[in-house]
Amino acid sequence: MKTAFITGATSGIGKATAELFAVNNIRLILCGRRKERLQELAEELSKLTQVTTLQFDVSKRDEVQAAIKSLPENFQEIDILINNAGNAHGLSTIQDGDIDDWDAMLDINVKGLLYVSKTIIPKMIANNNGFIINIGSIAGKEVYKNGNVYCASKFAVNALNKSMRLDLNEHNIRVSAIHPGLVETEFSDVRFKGDTERAKTVYQGFKALQAEDIADIIHFVVTRPYHVNIEDLVVYPTAQASATMLNKN
Ligand code: NDP
Ligand code: 8X3
């Protein structure tokens, strides 16, 4: 039975992945900052599989290390790491950008991914086995106006994904990235700082990807035979042809 460590499991893509993994008998380490959500999800999914939770902020190095160290003995071995926690904070030009938003995106999306990976990779190296899935974005393949620092953070994820694959190759560790286009989650609520009306408009007039669509792809990737490593997947809704081309009704 495999064990998966999922960051950002309280919402969106991470939550849908946890739900699908549970149905498929994968043991779960669910991570996020919102404790109540973690507890609710753990309660629901523990009817299907073994579950434990870790509440921590990925951007706080000490919290990351302490949380992972605190894992119960039977959850110490991790087969699959889903580096999913992340968000966009704000959408504005460089000249109007909020420096706190920049810090949040670089600290969470880039440094958070590094802190978690750095703490878990030694366990995988010791086992000569492991799978890291990094959730990037089409924003890490193509920049768009006002996306600047979010795009930079996802370009960094793309670079780290490629680098990890090179560095971990001698340790038999698989590394993959999935780069979604528009997925209807709480992402835009966060980007627009709780302005749910504005957030809703992002997904109006076309059928956006759903969190379950990405979870399905993640599950496909992790269930290939061990000699198969899908390097990089870019996934759009059918109505979207690039970061900026969207066929809305
Ligand atoms: P959601 O806002 O629905 O989920 C984000 C998750 O990240 C939450 O579970 C949140 O948990 C967690 N998170 C955010 N900040 C932190 C933090 N500092 N420490 C720990 N956990 C954190 O968005 P999505 O599901 O859409 O986003 C998941 C990933 O997918 C992100 O990396 C995002 O960039 C990427 N993505 C999303 C796309 C989209 O259109 N939605 C498209 C392409 C990529 P909590 O608040 O409880 O800590
Ligand atoms: C999320 C998709 O287009 O808002 O990464 O950057 S987008």
Side-chain angles (χ1 to χ4, degrees):
M1 202 175 185
K2 302 276 185 216
T3 300
F5 186 106
I6 305 178
T7 67
T10 55
S11 166
I13 295 169
K15 182 168 185 256
T17 303
E19 288 167 346
L20 187 59
F21 277 14
V23 172
N24 286 281
N25 224 19
I26 297 175
R27 300 165 83 238
L28 295 169
I29 302 165
L30 305 174
C31 309
R33 290 166 303 178
R34 286 170 287 182
K35 198 173 182 180
E36 254 179 43
R37 288 205 186 189
L38 284 174
Q39 282 170 342
E40 272 169 34
L41 190 62
E43 205 174 296
E44 181 196 325
L45 299 187
S46 56
K47 293 172 194 150
L48 300 166
T49 188
Q50 290 175 47
V51 183
T52 192
T53 62
L54 290 179
Q55 184 203 12
F56 65 94
D57 183 332
V58 294
S59 69
K60 307 238 160 71
R61 196 200 305 189
D62 294 345
E63 280 188 28
V64 173
Q65 290 168 351
I68 295 171
K69 208 171 162 197
S70 78
L71 278 169
E73 193 60 39
N74 59 337
F75 277 95
Q76 283 286 338
E77 291 212 351
I78 294 165
D79 303 286
I80 302 162
L81 164 60
I82 312 286
N83 274 323
N84 165 74
N87 277 114
H89 294 263
L91 181 69
S92 56
T93 58
I94 279 283
Q95 56 275 29
D96 292 332
D98 179 324
I99 295 176
D100 289 336
D101 285 344
W102 296 355
D103 283 345
M105 289 186 277
L106 296 172
D107 287 351
I108 298 166
N109 302 358
V110 184
K111 288 161 74 179
L113 180 146
L114 283 169
Y115 296 156
V116 172
S117 303
K118 174 82 174 157
T119 315
I120 290 179
I121 283 169
K123 296 175 186 291
M124 293 182 167
I125 290 179
N127 287 340
N128 198 41
N129 185 293
F131 202 159
I132 302 174
I133 307 259
N134 295 305
I135 305 301
S137 168
I138 52 147
K141 299 280 186 180
E142 183 191 349
V143 290
Y144 53 87
K145 188 165 164 54
N146 297 324
N148 44 66
V149 178
Y150 178 66
C151 294
S153 76
K154 290 299 183 176
F155 267 73
V157 172
N158 193 25
L160 290 170
N161 180 65
K162 290 178 192 296
S163 303
M164 281 183 189
R165 191 173 321 97
L166 299 181
D167 295 345
L168 297 173
N169 173 264
E170 67 195 270
H171 296 292
N172 196 37
I173 295 172
R174 296 195 280 181
V175 183
S176 296
I178 295 164
H179 302 278
L182 288 161
V183 191
E184 193 171 0
T185 61
E186 294 176 16
F187 179 85
S188 293
D189 294 328
V190 176
R191 169 168 256 172
F192 300 128
K193 303 174 193 301
D195 182 346
T196 48
E197 287 313 307
R198 186 173 176 199
K200 266 188 224 152
T201 64
V202 174
Y203 310 108
Q204 276 165 0
F206 75 107
K207 177 71 181 172
L209 290 168
Q210 303 298 299
E212 291 73 19
D213 298 321
I214 304 302
D216 197 30
I217 290 162
I218 294 172
H219 184 250
F220 174 81
V221 170
V222 302
T223 50
R224 292 314 86 207
Y226 203 82
H227 67 283
V228 179
N229 188 170
I230 295 173
E231 181 198 338
D232 208 48
L233 283 175
V234 177
V235 188
Y236 283 112
T238 303
Q240 188 177 17
S242 77
T244 51
M245 186 182 260
L246 190 57
N247 181 20
K248 282 204 180 200
N249 299 330

mmCIF file of all heavy atoms in Angstrom, residues 88-93 101 144-147 182 184-206 248:
data_model
loop_
_atom_site.group_PDB
_atom_site.id
_atom_site.type_symbol
_atom_site.label_atom_id
_atom_site.label_comp_id
_atom_site.label_asym_id
_atom_site.label_seq_id
_atom_site.Cartn_x
_atom_site.Cartn_y
_atom_site.Cartn_z
ATOM 1 N N ALA A 88 -2.143 32.196 -6.392
ATOM 2 C CA ALA A 88 -1.781 33.536 -6.870
ATOM 3 C C ALA A 88 -2.326 34.524 -5.849
ATOM 4 O O ALA A 88 -3.400 34.296 -5.280
ATOM 5 C CB ALA A 88 -2.415 33.785 -8.228
ATOM 6 N N HIS A 89 -1.582 35.568 -5.596
ATOM 7 C CA HIS A 89 -2.051 36.634 -4.701
ATOM 8 C C HIS A 89 -2.000 37.931 -5.502
ATOM 9 O O HIS A 89 -0.930 38.448 -5.785
ATOM 10 C CB HIS A 89 -1.166 36.720 -3.454
ATOM 11 C CG HIS A 89 -1.268 35.506 -2.578
ATOM 12 N ND1 HIS A 89 -2.094 35.448 -1.479
ATOM 13 C CD2 HIS A 89 -0.678 34.295 -2.652
ATOM 14 C CE1 HIS A 89 -2.001 34.248 -0.917
ATOM 15 N NE2 HIS A 89 -1.144 33.532 -1.608
ATOM 16 N N GLY A 90 -3.186 38.404 -5.913
ATOM 17 C CA GLY A 90 -3.252 39.633 -6.691
ATOM 18 C C GLY A 90 -3.057 39.396 -8.176
ATOM 19 O O GLY A 90 -2.653 38.310 -8.618
ATOM 20 N N LEU A 91 -3.416 40.406 -8.946
ATOM 21 C CA LEU A 91 -3.283 40.381 -10.410
ATOM 22 C C LEU A 91 -3.098 41.829 -10.830
ATOM 23 O O LEU A 91 -4.063 42.569 -10.981
ATOM 24 C CB LEU A 91 -4.554 39.789 -11.037
ATOM 25 C CG LEU A 91 -4.603 39.653 -12.552
ATOM 26 C CD1 LEU A 91 -3.631 38.572 -13.051
ATOM 27 C CD2 LEU A 91 -6.023 39.314 -13.030
ATOM 28 N N SER A 92 -1.856 42.244 -10.927
ATOM 29 C CA SER A 92 -1.634 43.653 -11.304
ATOM 30 C C SER A 92 -0.273 43.812 -11.957
ATOM 31 O O SER A 92 0.558 42.893 -11.905
ATOM 32 C CB SER A 92 -1.747 44.559 -10.079
ATOM 33 O OG SER A 92 -0.860 44.127 -9.103
ATOM 34 N N THR A 93 -0.084 44.966 -12.561
ATOM 35 C CA THR A 93 1.190 45.224 -13.241
ATOM 36 C C THR A 93 2.334 45.215 -12.217
ATOM 37 O O THR A 93 2.098 45.364 -11.010
ATOM 38 C CB THR A 93 1.172 46.616 -13.901
ATOM 39 O OG1 THR A 93 0.919 47.585 -12.880
ATOM 40 C CG2 THR A 93 0.115 46.719 -14.999
ATOM 41 N N ASP A 101 2.177 40.645 -1.583
ATOM 42 C CA ASP A 101 1.702 39.580 -2.486
ATOM 43 C C ASP A 101 2.888 38.860 -3.136
ATOM 44 O O ASP A 101 2.896 37.632 -3.252
ATOM 45 C CB ASP A 101 0.806 40.161 -3.594
ATOM 46 C CG ASP A 101 -0.584 40.525 -3.094
ATOM 47 O OD1 ASP A 101 -0.966 40.062 -2.000
ATOM 48 O OD2 ASP A 101 -1.281 41.284 -3.801
ATOM 49 N N TYR A 144 1.643 36.141 -18.867
ATOM 50 C CA TYR A 144 0.513 36.947 -19.328
ATOM 51 C C TYR A 144 0.516 38.256 -18.555
ATOM 52 O O TYR A 144 1.081 38.345 -17.445
ATOM 53 C CB TYR A 144 -0.819 36.195 -19.187
ATOM 54 C CG TYR A 144 -1.111 35.624 -17.811
ATOM 55 C CD1 TYR A 144 -1.727 36.380 -16.830
ATOM 56 C CD2 TYR A 144 -0.746 34.317 -17.502
ATOM 57 C CE1 TYR A 144 -1.993 35.850 -15.573
ATOM 58 C CE2 TYR A 144 -1.003 33.776 -16.257
ATOM 59 C CZ TYR A 144 -1.628 34.552 -15.287
ATOM 60 O OH TYR A 144 -1.880 34.041 -14.048
ATOM 61 N N LYS A 145 -0.116 39.269 -19.145
ATOM 62 C CA LYS A 145 -0.113 40.607 -18.539
ATOM 63 C C LYS A 145 -0.695 40.537 -17.128
ATOM 64 O O LYS A 145 -1.699 39.851 -16.912
ATOM 65 C CB LYS A 145 -0.910 41.575 -19.409
ATOM 66 C CG LYS A 145 -0.789 43.022 -18.944
ATOM 67 C CD LYS A 145 -1.268 43.987 -20.016
ATOM 68 C CE LYS A 145 -1.532 45.375 -19.455
ATOM 69 N NZ LYS A 145 -0.427 45.968 -18.721
ATOM 70 N N ASN A 146 -0.061 41.197 -16.207
ATOM 71 C CA ASN A 146 -0.452 41.254 -14.797
ATOM 72 C C ASN A 146 -0.132 39.970 -14.012
ATOM 73 O O ASN A 146 -0.368 39.904 -12.803
ATOM 74 C CB ASN A 146 -1.945 41.575 -14.612
ATOM 75 C CG ASN A 146 -2.310 42.945 -15.154
ATOM 76 O OD1 ASN A 146 -1.512 43.866 -15.049
ATOM 77 N ND2 ASN A 146 -3.485 43.081 -15.738
ATOM 78 N N GLY A 147 0.364 38.966 -14.734
ATOM 79 C CA GLY A 147 0.659 37.689 -14.037
ATOM 80 C C GLY A 147 2.038 37.689 -13.398
ATOM 81 O O GLY A 147 2.322 36.869 -12.501
ATOM 82 N N LEU A 182 -6.964 26.887 -16.703
ATOM 83 C CA LEU A 182 -7.943 27.376 -15.713
ATOM 84 C C LEU A 182 -8.716 26.236 -15.041
ATOM 85 O O LEU A 182 -9.440 25.489 -15.709
ATOM 86 C CB LEU A 182 -8.919 28.324 -16.407
ATOM 87 C CG LEU A 182 -8.318 29.688 -16.792
ATOM 88 C CD1 LEU A 182 -9.159 30.363 -17.863
ATOM 89 C CD2 LEU A 182 -8.179 30.588 -15.569
ATOM 90 N N GLU A 184 -11.419 25.437 -11.916
ATOM 91 C CA GLU A 184 -12.382 26.130 -11.045
ATOM 92 C C GLU A 184 -12.246 25.615 -9.607
ATOM 93 O O GLU A 184 -12.758 24.551 -9.263
ATOM 94 C CB GLU A 184 -13.802 25.866 -11.581
ATOM 95 C CG GLU A 184 -14.835 26.752 -10.979
ATOM 96 C CD GLU A 184 -16.182 26.607 -11.683
ATOM 97 O OE1 GLU A 184 -16.290 25.807 -12.641
ATOM 98 O OE2 GLU A 184 -17.113 27.290 -11.255
ATOM 99 N N THR A 185 -11.519 26.366 -8.798
ATOM 100 C CA THR A 185 -11.273 25.990 -7.392
ATOM 101 C C THR A 185 -11.404 27.277 -6.573
ATOM 102 O O THR A 185 -12.001 28.245 -7.029
ATOM 103 C CB THR A 185 -9.838 25.437 -7.234
ATOM 104 O OG1 THR A 185 -8.925 26.490 -7.609
ATOM 105 C CG2 THR A 185 -9.588 24.217 -8.103
ATOM 106 N N GLU A 186 -10.785 27.301 -5.407
ATOM 107 C CA GLU A 186 -10.782 28.544 -4.617
ATOM 108 C C GLU A 186 -9.656 29.482 -5.048
ATOM 109 O O GLU A 186 -9.439 30.540 -4.441
ATOM 110 C CB GLU A 186 -10.648 28.201 -3.130
ATOM 111 C CG GLU A 186 -11.867 27.466 -2.610
ATOM 112 C CD GLU A 186 -11.737 27.029 -1.159
ATOM 113 O OE1 GLU A 186 -10.853 27.548 -0.451
ATOM 114 O OE2 GLU A 186 -12.523 26.174 -0.743
ATOM 115 N N PHE A 187 -8.938 29.064 -6.102
ATOM 116 C CA PHE A 187 -7.780 29.813 -6.585
ATOM 117 C C PHE A 187 -8.083 31.303 -6.816
ATOM 118 O O PHE A 187 -7.341 32.179 -6.356
ATOM 119 C CB PHE A 187 -7.299 29.148 -7.885
ATOM 120 C CG PHE A 187 -6.117 29.802 -8.531
ATOM 121 C CD1 PHE A 187 -4.826 29.483 -8.147
ATOM 122 C CD2 PHE A 187 -6.292 30.738 -9.537
ATOM 123 C CE1 PHE A 187 -3.726 30.093 -8.749
ATOM 124 C CE2 PHE A 187 -5.199 31.348 -10.152
ATOM 125 C CZ PHE A 187 -3.920 31.019 -9.752
ATOM 126 N N SER A 188 -9.180 31.582 -7.527
ATOM 127 C CA SER A 188 -9.470 32.993 -7.840
ATOM 128 C C SER A 188 -10.008 33.748 -6.622
ATOM 129 O O SER A 188 -9.828 34.965 -6.515
ATOM 130 C CB SER A 188 -10.437 33.092 -9.028
ATOM 131 O OG SER A 188 -9.788 32.636 -10.197
ATOM 132 N N ASP A 189 -10.659 33.037 -5.690
ATOM 133 C CA ASP A 189 -11.060 33.687 -4.423
ATOM 134 C C ASP A 189 -9.822 34.211 -3.707
ATOM 135 O O ASP A 189 -9.822 35.309 -3.154
ATOM 136 C CB ASP A 189 -11.777 32.695 -3.493
ATOM 137 C CG ASP A 189 -13.111 32.239 -4.054
ATOM 138 O OD1 ASP A 189 -13.756 33.035 -4.760
ATOM 139 O OD2 ASP A 189 -13.489 31.086 -3.799
ATOM 140 N N VAL A 190 -8.778 33.397 -3.729
ATOM 141 C CA VAL A 190 -7.531 33.812 -3.058
ATOM 142 C C VAL A 190 -6.873 34.943 -3.856
ATOM 143 O O VAL A 190 -6.474 35.965 -3.296
ATOM 144 C CB VAL A 190 -6.570 32.611 -2.876
ATOM 145 C CG1 VAL A 190 -5.248 33.059 -2.278
ATOM 146 C CG2 VAL A 190 -7.228 31.527 -2.021
ATOM 147 N N ARG A 191 -6.805 34.733 -5.186
ATOM 148 C CA ARG A 191 -6.141 35.765 -6.022
ATOM 149 C C ARG A 191 -6.802 37.135 -5.819
ATOM 150 O O ARG A 191 -6.128 38.150 -5.722
ATOM 151 C CB ARG A 191 -6.205 35.356 -7.501
ATOM 152 C CG ARG A 191 -5.790 36.470 -8.437
ATOM 153 C CD ARG A 191 -5.574 35.994 -9.867
ATOM 154 N NE ARG A 191 -4.154 35.892 -10.149
ATOM 155 C CZ ARG A 191 -3.634 35.373 -11.239
ATOM 156 N NH1 ARG A 191 -4.397 34.833 -12.157
ATOM 157 N NH2 ARG A 191 -2.327 35.364 -11.434
ATOM 158 N N PHE A 192 -8.155 37.132 -5.729
ATOM 159 C CA PHE A 192 -8.872 38.400 -5.593
ATOM 160 C C PHE A 192 -9.258 38.685 -4.139
ATOM 161 O O PHE A 192 -10.206 39.435 -3.864
ATOM 162 C CB PHE A 192 -10.091 38.419 -6.527
ATOM 163 C CG PHE A 192 -9.712 38.270 -7.982
ATOM 164 C CD1 PHE A 192 -10.308 37.317 -8.791
ATOM 165 C CD2 PHE A 192 -8.721 39.081 -8.539
ATOM 166 C CE1 PHE A 192 -9.938 37.168 -10.132
ATOM 167 C CE2 PHE A 192 -8.346 38.936 -9.876
ATOM 168 C CZ PHE A 192 -8.954 37.974 -10.673
ATOM 169 N N LYS A 193 -8.574 38.063 -3.223
ATOM 170 C CA LYS A 193 -8.653 38.375 -1.778
ATOM 171 C C LYS A 193 -10.072 38.335 -1.231
ATOM 172 O O LYS A 193 -10.546 39.279 -0.599
ATOM 173 C CB LYS A 193 -7.992 39.728 -1.507
ATOM 174 C CG LYS A 193 -6.532 39.743 -1.978
ATOM 175 C CD LYS A 193 -5.906 41.089 -1.871
ATOM 176 C CE LYS A 193 -4.582 41.151 -2.616
ATOM 177 N NZ LYS A 193 -3.563 40.214 -2.176
ATOM 178 N N GLY A 194 -10.782 37.255 -1.568
ATOM 179 C CA GLY A 194 -12.118 37.051 -1.018
ATOM 180 C C GLY A 194 -13.231 37.731 -1.798
ATOM 181 O O GLY A 194 -14.390 37.646 -1.399
ATOM 182 N N ASP A 195 -12.917 38.363 -2.911
ATOM 183 C CA ASP A 195 -13.965 38.966 -3.753
ATOM 184 C C ASP A 195 -14.558 37.842 -4.613
ATOM 185 O O ASP A 195 -14.155 37.616 -5.762
ATOM 186 C CB ASP A 195 -13.349 40.078 -4.624
ATOM 187 C CG ASP A 195 -14.395 40.793 -5.483
ATOM 188 O OD1 ASP A 195 -15.521 40.270 -5.615
ATOM 189 O OD2 ASP A 195 -14.076 41.872 -6.020
ATOM 190 N N THR A 196 -15.540 37.138 -4.023
ATOM 191 C CA THR A 196 -16.058 35.927 -4.681
ATOM 192 C C THR A 196 -16.806 36.254 -5.968
ATOM 193 O O THR A 196 -16.820 35.443 -6.901
ATOM 194 C CB THR A 196 -16.982 35.130 -3.725
ATOM 195 O OG1 THR A 196 -17.911 36.038 -3.147
ATOM 196 C CG2 THR A 196 -16.212 34.439 -2.624
ATOM 197 N N GLU A 197 -17.413 37.431 -6.023
ATOM 198 C CA GLU A 197 -18.137 37.810 -7.256
ATOM 199 C C GLU A 197 -17.158 37.936 -8.422
ATOM 200 O O GLU A 197 -17.398 37.419 -9.509
ATOM 201 C CB GLU A 197 -18.905 39.128 -7.039
ATOM 202 C CG GLU A 197 -20.138 38.983 -6.144
ATOM 203 C CD GLU A 197 -21.022 37.785 -6.525
ATOM 204 O OE1 GLU A 197 -21.397 37.688 -7.710
ATOM 205 O OE2 GLU A 197 -21.304 36.949 -5.645
ATOM 206 N N ARG A 198 -16.046 38.616 -8.166
ATOM 207 C CA ARG A 198 -15.035 38.761 -9.216
ATOM 208 C C ARG A 198 -14.440 37.385 -9.566
ATOM 209 O O ARG A 198 -14.194 37.087 -10.738
ATOM 210 C CB ARG A 198 -13.926 39.717 -8.731
ATOM 211 C CG ARG A 198 -12.927 40.025 -9.814
ATOM 212 C CD ARG A 198 -11.922 41.090 -9.404
ATOM 213 N NE ARG A 198 -10.927 41.290 -10.458
ATOM 214 C CZ ARG A 198 -9.754 41.850 -10.286
ATOM 215 N NH1 ARG A 198 -9.421 42.333 -9.091
ATOM 216 N NH2 ARG A 198 -8.914 41.977 -11.288
ATOM 217 N N ALA A 199 -14.234 36.589 -8.530
ATOM 218 C CA ALA A 199 -13.647 35.253 -8.750
ATOM 219 C C ALA A 199 -14.541 34.426 -9.667
ATOM 220 O O ALA A 199 -14.052 33.743 -10.578
ATOM 221 C CB ALA A 199 -13.431 34.548 -7.412
ATOM 222 N N LYS A 200 -15.862 34.512 -9.441
ATOM 223 C CA LYS A 200 -16.800 33.706 -10.239
ATOM 224 C C LYS A 200 -16.694 34.045 -11.723
ATOM 225 O O LYS A 200 -16.842 33.177 -12.583
ATOM 226 C CB LYS A 200 -18.241 33.989 -9.777
ATOM 227 C CG LYS A 200 -18.744 33.006 -8.742
ATOM 228 C CD LYS A 200 -20.224 33.238 -8.508
ATOM 229 C CE LYS A 200 -20.524 33.208 -7.018
ATOM 230 N NZ LYS A 200 -21.671 34.011 -6.623
ATOM 231 N N THR A 201 -16.468 35.324 -12.032
ATOM 232 C CA THR A 201 -16.461 35.740 -13.442
ATOM 233 C C THR A 201 -15.334 35.063 -14.238
ATOM 234 O O THR A 201 -15.437 34.924 -15.454
ATOM 235 C CB THR A 201 -16.309 37.278 -13.579
ATOM 236 O OG1 THR A 201 -15.024 37.644 -13.052
ATOM 237 C CG2 THR A 201 -17.415 38.022 -12.852
ATOM 238 N N VAL A 202 -14.293 34.636 -13.531
ATOM 239 C CA VAL A 202 -13.165 33.992 -14.221
ATOM 240 C C VAL A 202 -13.636 32.724 -14.926
ATOM 241 O O VAL A 202 -13.141 32.370 -15.995
ATOM 242 C CB VAL A 202 -12.044 33.659 -13.192
ATOM 243 C CG1 VAL A 202 -10.917 32.863 -13.846
ATOM 244 C CG2 VAL A 202 -11.503 34.935 -12.548
ATOM 245 N N TYR A 203 -14.606 32.038 -14.317
ATOM 246 C CA TYR A 203 -15.029 30.716 -14.836
ATOM 247 C C TYR A 203 -16.375 30.779 -15.559
ATOM 248 O O TYR A 203 -16.962 29.743 -15.848
ATOM 249 C CB TYR A 203 -15.061 29.709 -13.671
ATOM 250 C CG TYR A 203 -13.785 29.741 -12.868
ATOM 251 C CD1 TYR A 203 -13.756 30.283 -11.583
ATOM 252 C CD2 TYR A 203 -12.591 29.268 -13.420
ATOM 253 C CE1 TYR A 203 -12.571 30.345 -10.862
ATOM 254 C CE2 TYR A 203 -11.406 29.337 -12.712
ATOM 255 C CZ TYR A 203 -11.398 29.877 -11.426
ATOM 256 O OH TYR A 203 -10.226 29.950 -10.729
ATOM 257 N N GLN A 204 -16.857 31.990 -15.826
ATOM 258 C CA GLN A 204 -18.147 32.114 -16.516
ATOM 259 C C GLN A 204 -17.969 32.095 -18.033
ATOM 260 O O GLN A 204 -16.963 32.591 -18.548
ATOM 261 C CB GLN A 204 -18.851 33.416 -16.097
ATOM 262 C CG GLN A 204 -19.631 33.228 -14.800
ATOM 263 C CD GLN A 204 -20.046 34.545 -14.159
ATOM 264 O OE1 GLN A 204 -19.754 35.625 -14.678
ATOM 265 N NE2 GLN A 204 -20.717 34.455 -13.022
ATOM 266 N N GLY A 205 -18.955 31.517 -18.729
ATOM 267 C CA GLY A 205 -18.971 31.577 -20.189
ATOM 268 C C GLY A 205 -18.193 30.479 -20.865
ATOM 269 O O GLY A 205 -18.034 30.467 -22.090
ATOM 270 N N PHE A 206 -17.685 29.533 -20.105
ATOM 271 C CA PHE A 206 -17.004 28.369 -20.687
ATOM 272 C C PHE A 206 -16.925 27.297 -19.603
ATOM 273 O O PHE A 206 -17.190 27.584 -18.435
ATOM 274 C CB PHE A 206 -15.589 28.726 -21.182
ATOM 275 C CG PHE A 206 -14.583 28.908 -20.064
ATOM 276 C CD1 PHE A 206 -13.598 27.948 -19.827
ATOM 277 C CD2 PHE A 206 -14.639 30.008 -19.223
ATOM 278 C CE1 PHE A 206 -12.681 28.103 -18.792
ATOM 279 C CE2 PHE A 206 -13.728 30.167 -18.174
ATOM 280 C CZ PHE A 206 -12.757 29.223 -17.970
ATOM 281 N N LYS A 248 -14.917 32.201 -24.820
ATOM 282 C CA LYS A 248 -16.069 32.370 -23.922
ATOM 283 C C LYS A 248 -17.323 32.605 -24.741
ATOM 284 O O LYS A 248 -17.268 33.255 -25.776
ATOM 285 C CB LYS A 248 -15.843 33.563 -22.997
ATOM 286 C CG LYS A 248 -14.907 33.295 -21.828
ATOM 287 C CD LYS A 248 -15.173 34.254 -20.677
ATOM 288 C CE LYS A 248 -14.244 33.996 -19.510
ATOM 289 N NZ LYS A 248 -14.717 34.537 -18.240
#
